[in-house]
């Protein structure tokens, strides 16, 4: 994870315990908030701000209003009920215009924080209007006196806290610490100041404005400045990393001579799209370049990345190098294995498979149909002429026992299913091989510039011609009988279907559909059409035979978990029903939907969601409206954040305090331009 802070001065790196009034107990509380140094403290971002210069009159409050009021406690008390098992503490505030009831459920200890006659601020949402009531408001005592200018008559910061750490105390500490340390926040990039400060405040001012803004808009300016610094630091590090890589790594000459690519394209059965051709040109240039290729190939589901990968592999093979291709699931590795063998073996190129359960180079051909000639071994005996090969596999390629000599090119399919470290692990199997990573999760531009900032980007922005349309519908479970009827019609007319459920086994007490439980029901409902079951707990062999039967149209419907999300390619399957669709992310649903619409027939994706929650219905509607993977990914990023969009596997997402990948595209772009003007780090 790259550091995202510009280097702080030594004074800012002192521990918080160096501050007056911060003893071991406070330091431990701060540690729980991730605050260790004085810099951490001064970059502790307020959760929100309270404008304590103007208050709503209690009399004007309506139900549902979020409000900040200032009033005096006129009465308070705890009531208990259910033999003292439950309690309610109520406090009545009066601001001269009306009274506001504040209630805390089952927190009788709240009583000791207040006294009648005391003045307090209360922030919360009006729940009832007769009488005006707020449940669990955030409160703070009004204490006029020497610290008045810190808490009162200004926009006051409200910080995230931890148990035992009082809001007012923290505000005073930050105020005092700012007085002493604000000037330590020197401009981290003096050479850029002339371009930054006309728009955004200097860093030191930004830190002050973050805590004590003169206007609410200032708090936003402050955040943007601090976020910009993080993005510049990241871009600076990415540039340095890239330069070090270029200095160290010499590229293997892998551009080939077309003697395999030409016959491959001739027998492929289709012409590459303009986008595929353009991307291949970019790849060929890299493979013949001075530095090893580090390229991300991004193309929506079904855009034909596999054929591009095959051409890239052939270029390296033509040049006398071996190639490794890694896929995230055994099903996908097997599918690639089958395709690539069909394509490459006629050209005299060996294709090997290495998954957790199969290894064609050692088991003497158990992975092959009987009767085919044995493939050349990856490590030929010294006497035989060297032969090159493509080795396809899953994570099994990462194990220590797997070795591939003379590795020229590493291809990683569906790379978002792997972590950055796994990518590096495979690359390290060779001496700076070229790297092509492919993904169908369209990466919103913000992430492209941060997470993948050290990769060059190629985009296939065009689908092959002759694809049937995919139409998407969001339906609630009450419509299921109709959906089933439609499904049977489709199967009767010769099409095939995927039925996707979130789980393998029913653990949530029936609310979430699980494939094991529904299998018998679905089988009966779709007879005489045949249904098969596919999920991650099947042995690899079983998975492959289930897929083979589905591909051969021996089974017409596949009841599956999201296991089929990546890569599976069966053009006759035109219908997909996804149950409990609200449990999937948008990008994931888009991937799933990418399994259909691969042939000439019109396809249908039906998302079943019984979520009573209208928000989750609205969320799914994005999929009804568009099949543009980029728009969907942007929506997913906004709704769920980068971690979810990229999946659990994705490590290497930089940690930002202020940067927000959901909204800071402009800053990230600007940071990239600015960082280009910085001297290179050693
Ligand atoms: P993805 O980019 O999702 O990996 P695939 O490589 O699996 O897509 O390709 C999807 C389907 O489109 C495959 O059946 C493939 O053979 C076919 N295909 C790829 N390129 C073309 C093309 N230029 N013209 C027609 N069909 C193509
Ligand atoms: Mg693919």
């Amino acid at each position: 994870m790259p550091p995202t802070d510009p280097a702080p001065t030594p004074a800012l790196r002192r521990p918080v315990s160096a501050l007056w009034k911060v003893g071991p107990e406070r330091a431990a509380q701060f540690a729980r908030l991730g605050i260790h140094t004085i810099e951490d403290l001064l970059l502790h971002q307020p959760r929100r701000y309270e404008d304590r210069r103007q208050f709503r009159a209690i009399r004007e409050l309506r139900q549902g209003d979020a409000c900040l009021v200032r009033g005096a406690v006129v009465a308070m008390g705890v009531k208990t009920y259910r033999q003292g098992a439950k309690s309610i503490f109520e406090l009545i505030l009066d601001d001269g215009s009306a009274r506001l009831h504040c209630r805390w459920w089952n927190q009788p200890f709240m009583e000791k924080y207040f006294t009648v006659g005391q003045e307090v601020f209360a922030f919360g949402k009006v729940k009832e209007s007769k009488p005006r009531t707020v449940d669990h408001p955030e409160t703070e005592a009004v204490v006029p006196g020497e610290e008045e200018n810190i808490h009162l008559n200004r926009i006051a910061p409200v910080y995230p806290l931890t148990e035992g750490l009082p809001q007012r105390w923290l505000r005073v500490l930050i105020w005092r610490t700012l007085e002493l340390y604000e000037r330590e926040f020197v401009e981290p990039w003096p050479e850029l100041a002339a371009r930054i400060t006309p728009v955004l405040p200097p860093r030191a001012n930004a830190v002050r404005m973050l805590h004590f803004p003169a206007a609410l808009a200032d708090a936003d300016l402050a955040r943007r400045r601090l976020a910009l610094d993080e993005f510049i630091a990241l871009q600076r590090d990415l540039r340095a990393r890239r330069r070090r890589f270029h200095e160290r790594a010499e590229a293997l000459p892998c551009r080939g001579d077309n003697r395999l690519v030409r016959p491959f394209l001739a027998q492929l059965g289709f012409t590459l799209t303009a986008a595929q051709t353009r991307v291949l040109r970019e790849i060929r240039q890299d493979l013949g370049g001075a530095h090893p290729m580090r390229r991300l190939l991004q193309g929506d589901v079904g855009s034909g990345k596999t054929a591009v990968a095959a051409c890239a592999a052939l270029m390296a093979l033509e040049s006398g190098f071996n190639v490794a291709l890694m896929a995230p699931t055994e099903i996908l590795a097997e599918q690639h294995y089958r395709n690539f063998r069909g394509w490459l073996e006629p050209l005299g190129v060996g294709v090997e498979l290495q998954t957790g359960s199969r290894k064609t180079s050692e088991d003497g051909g158990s992975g092959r149909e009987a009767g085919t000639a044995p493939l050349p071994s990856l490590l030929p005996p010294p006497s035989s002429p060297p032969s090159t090969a493509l080795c396809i596999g899953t994570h099994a390629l990462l194990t220590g026992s797997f070795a591939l000599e003379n590795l020229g090119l590493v291809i990683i399919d569906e790379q978002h299913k792997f972590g950055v470290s796994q990518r590096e692990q495979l690359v390290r199997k060779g001496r700076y091989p070229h790297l092509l990573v492919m993904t169908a999760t369209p990466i919103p531009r913000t992430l492209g510039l941060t997470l993948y900032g050290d990769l060059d980007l190629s985009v296939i922005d065009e689908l092959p011609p002759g694809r049937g349309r995919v139409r998407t519908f969001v339906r609630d479970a009450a419509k299921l009988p109709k959906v089933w009827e439609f499904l049977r019609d489709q199967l009767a007319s010769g099409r095939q279907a995927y039925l996707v459920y979130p789980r393998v086994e029913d653990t949530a007490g029936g609310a979430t559909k699980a494939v094991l439980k529904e299998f018998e029901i679905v089988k009966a409902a779709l007879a005489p059409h045949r249904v098969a079951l596919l999920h991650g707990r099947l042995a690899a062999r079983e998975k492959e035979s289930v897929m083979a039967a589905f591909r051969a149209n021996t089974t017409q419907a596949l009841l599956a978990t999201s296991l089929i999300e990546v890569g599976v390619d069966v053009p006759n399957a035109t219908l997909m029903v996804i149950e409990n669709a609200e449990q999937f992310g948008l990008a994931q649903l888009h991937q799933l939907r990418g399994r259909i619409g691969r042939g000439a027939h019109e396809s249908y994706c039906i998302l079943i969601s019984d979520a009573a929650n209208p928000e989750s219905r609205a969320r799914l509607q994005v999929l009804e409206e568009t099949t543009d993977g980029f728009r969907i990914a942007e929506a997913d990023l906004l709704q769920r954040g980068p971690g979810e969009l990229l999946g659990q596997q994705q490590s290497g997402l930089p940690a930002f305090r202020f940067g927000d990948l959901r909204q800071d595209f402009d800053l990230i772009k600007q940071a990239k331009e600015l960082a280009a003007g910085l001297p290179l780090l050693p």
Side-chain angles (χ1 to χ4, degrees):
M1 191 186 298
T4 50
D5 269 342
T9 62
L12 289 175
R13 273 187 239 177
R14 274 182 218 148
V16 264
S17 55
L19 292 170
W20 183 68
K21 273 195 173 174
V22 178
E25 196 188 340
R26 290 288 185 222
Q29 290 165 348
F30 279 134
R32 288 208 295 275
L33 290 169
I35 297 173
H36 304 283
T37 63
I38 292 174
E39 182 190 43
D40 292 336
L41 177 71
L42 291 181
L43 296 180
H44 188 50
Q45 190 175 9
R47 192 157 54 77
R48 61 183 181 85
Y49 299 89
E50 279 183 3
D51 190 342
R52 294 181 174 174
R53 297 164 305 182
Q54 52 209 20
F55 301 94
R56 297 281 302 275
I58 291 174
R59 193 158 49 94
E60 288 167 13
L61 297 180
R62 300 281 167 268
Q63 193 174 347
D65 286 356
C67 66
L68 174 67
V69 301
R70 177 181 178 161
V73 178
V74 291
M76 56 185 239
V78 178
K79 275 181 244 164
T80 57
Y81 52 104
R82 292 234 190 108
Q83 280 93 38
K86 305 262 173 190
S87 75
I88 175 171
F89 167 62
E90 191 165 13
L91 171 154
I92 300 173
L93 282 185
D94 193 326
D95 70 351
S97 75
R99 291 181 164 197
L100 181 69
H101 293 244
C102 301
R103 298 186 301 194
W104 286 264
W105 302 85
N106 302 316
Q107 296 183 9
F109 54 85
M110 288 302 289
E111 186 175 24
K112 68 176 195 271
Y113 295 120
F114 299 95
T115 50
V116 171
Q118 176 188 32
E119 254 201 289
V120 299
F121 299 114
F123 175 81
K125 194 164 169 180
V126 181
K127 190 171 176 209
E128 288 160 27
S129 53
K130 280 183 189 156
R132 290 184 186 82
T133 305
V134 179
D135 279 342
H136 295 260
E138 290 180 34
T139 56
E140 194 180 308
V142 179
V143 187
E146 61 173 326
E147 289 166 355
E148 192 164 353
N149 58 338
I150 301 179
H151 308 287
L152 302 181
N153 306 317
R154 67 156 58 252
I155 295 174
V158 178
Y159 296 102
L161 297 174
T162 182
E163 200 184 331
L165 190 64
Q167 190 67 254
R168 283 174 57 90
W169 183 87
L170 177 59
R171 196 179 291 129
V172 171
L173 181 73
I174 288 181
W175 175 278
R176 301 228 161 107
T177 309
L178 262 181
E179 301 284 287
L180 293 170
Y181 289 90
E182 181 183 334
R183 65 178 164 276
E184 295 288 337
F185 286 89
V186 291
E187 278 305 291
W189 350 93
E191 55 277 80
L192 302 179
R195 291 164 68 190
I196 296 175
T197 49
V199 191
L200 292 170
R203 186 168 168 86
N205 295 25
V207 173
R208 171 165 288 276
M209 285 159 70
L210 178 74
H211 299 286
F212 298 101
L216 280 175
D218 286 355
D220 188 52
L221 279 181
R223 185 201 70 83
R224 286 174 59 80
R225 169 65 214 248
L226 298 171
L228 181 68
D229 286 344
E230 290 179 335
F231 293 136
I232 294 175
L234 174 67
Q235 294 298 337
R236 173 200 58 187
D237 294 347
L238 286 171
R239 277 181 79 219
R241 210 190 304 167
R242 174 176 281 250
R243 196 189 58 159
R244 279 196 300 273
F245 174 70
H246 280 176
E247 281 171 357
R248 234 182 300 134
E250 208 169 304
L252 302 169
C254 284
R255 79 187 306 272
D257 56 11
N258 259 329
R259 71 173 194 283
L260 296 172
V261 172
R262 200 173 300 118
F264 166 73
L265 290 176
Q267 52 137 49
L268 192 55
F270 50 76
T271 326
L272 295 185
T273 60
Q276 284 170 313
T277 307
R278 170 173 42 77
V279 167
L280 271 175
R281 214 174 303 127
E282 292 165 353
I283 291 174
R284 189 187 286 281
Q285 203 145 51
D286 285 359
L287 293 180
H291 308 297
M293 172 166 77
R294 289 290 175 269
R295 188 166 285 279
L296 173 65
L297 170 55
Q298 199 174 307
D300 213 340
V301 277
S303 60
K305 294 184 291 296
T306 318
V308 170
C311 287
L314 287 171
M315 293 174 197
L317 291 160
E318 283 168 352
S319 307
F321 291 94
N322 289 315
V323 176
L325 165 63
M326 183 163 72
T329 64
E330 296 206 2
I331 293 177
L332 187 53
E334 298 262 0
Q335 180 179 289
H336 281 326
Y337 176 57
R338 205 169 341 90
N339 285 337
F340 280 86
R341 275 182 68 208
W343 287 331
L344 270 51
E345 281 186 6
L347 305 173
V349 177
V351 182
E352 306 272 346
L353 177 69
Q354 175 127 8
T355 63
S357 50
R358 290 176 69 185
K359 191 169 172 188
T360 54
S361 53
E362 270 185 11
D363 62 10
S366 72
R368 275 170 245 135
E369 286 81 24
T372 49
L375 294 170
S377 160
L378 289 179
L379 301 172
S383 57
S384 69
S387 62
T388 54
L390 167 65
C391 187
I392 298 175
T394 54
H395 296 79
L397 294 181
L398 301 174
T399 56
S401 63
F402 171 76
L404 191 53
E405 281 201 344
N406 208 18
L407 182 59
L409 169 65
V410 166
I411 303 173
I412 298 181
D413 195 13
E414 307 287 352
Q415 87 94 32
H416 58 285
K417 293 280 168 187
F418 296 99
V420 174
S421 62
Q422 289 171 314
R423 176 171 103 193
E424 291 308 310
Q425 233 174 311
L426 187 52
V427 165
R428 255 179 266 122
K429 298 261 173 179
R431 263 203 82 253
Y432 293 113
H434 296 279
L435 173 69
L436 177 66
V437 299
M438 310 199 290
T439 184
T441 297
I443 295 152
R445 294 171 300 169
T446 48
L447 294 182
L449 283 178
T450 48
L451 188 53
Y452 299 116
D454 55 343
L455 299 176
D456 294 311
L457 180 66
S458 287
V459 182
I460 306 183
D461 50 5
E462 172 186 14
L463 290 182
R467 293 283 168 80
R469 222 171 16 147
V470 179
R471 306 215 286 162
T472 301
F473 305 92
V474 181
R475 293 289 180 262
D476 57 40
K479 290 273 171 25
L480 269 175
K482 277 229 156 87
V483 172
W484 283 95
E485 204 175 301
F486 181 66
L487 181 62
R488 278 191 296 269
D489 281 353
Q490 285 282 305
L491 297 182
S493 70
R495 303 283 80 74
Q496 288 167 275
Y498 297 100
L499 306 168
V500 184
Y501 294 179
R503 284 184 216 287
V504 180
E505 233 167 336
D506 184 10
T507 48
T512 299
K513 288 207 179 165
V515 286
L516 290 182
K517 183 152 164 259
E518 303 291 320
F519 187 43
E520 294 303 323
I521 305 170
V522 171
K523 257 200 320 210
L526 294 183
H529 305 293
R530 277 202 287 261
V531 186
L533 189 62
L534 185 70
H535 56 77
R537 295 207 206 139
L538 294 181
R541 288 266 171 209
E542 291 174 88
K543 282 185 212 156
E544 184 45 26
S545 74
V546 167
M547 280 312 298
F550 190 62
R551 253 191 316 271
N553 200 355
T554 316
T555 47
Q556 286 74 46
L558 203 56
L559 182 58
T561 55
S562 61
L563 183 69
I564 57 154
E565 149 190 5
V566 289
V568 174
D569 185 30
V570 180
N572 190 48
T574 57
L575 191 78
M576 177 173 281
V577 179
I578 304 177
E579 297 236 25
N580 296 110
E582 73 282 352
Q583 302 203 4
F584 298 95
L586 293 183
Q588 194 183 9
L589 289 168
H590 179 64
Q591 292 288 312
L592 282 165
R593 177 171 66 175
R595 299 309 116 220
I596 57 173
R598 296 185 155 243
H601 294 282
E602 181 127 325
S603 291
Y604 303 90
C605 176
I606 302 170
L607 305 174
I608 307 291
S609 168
D610 225 10
N613 183 349
E615 268 166 43
S616 77
R617 269 304 276 274
R619 193 168 78 85
L620 293 175
Q621 268 153 14
V622 175
L623 290 160
E624 271 184 345
E625 287 157 16
T626 183
T627 53
D628 178 345
F630 280 91
R631 268 194 60 198
I632 291 163
E634 299 270 357
D636 210 23
L637 178 66
L638 275 178
Q639 290 172 1
R640 298 191 309 159
E644 289 293 316
L645 173 65
L646 295 169
Q648 299 305 314
Q649 314 259 10
Q650 187 53 261
S651 51
L653 194 64
F656 299 115
R657 286 184 222 255
F658 299 98
D660 180 353
L661 296 177
R662 300 173 194 222
Q663 53 164 317
D664 287 342
F665 179 60
D666 62 326
L667 291 176
I668 293 170
K669 224 171 51 179
Q670 197 191 348
K672 188 169 182 186
E673 287 158 18
L674 288 168
L678 288 176
L680 269 170
L681 287 181

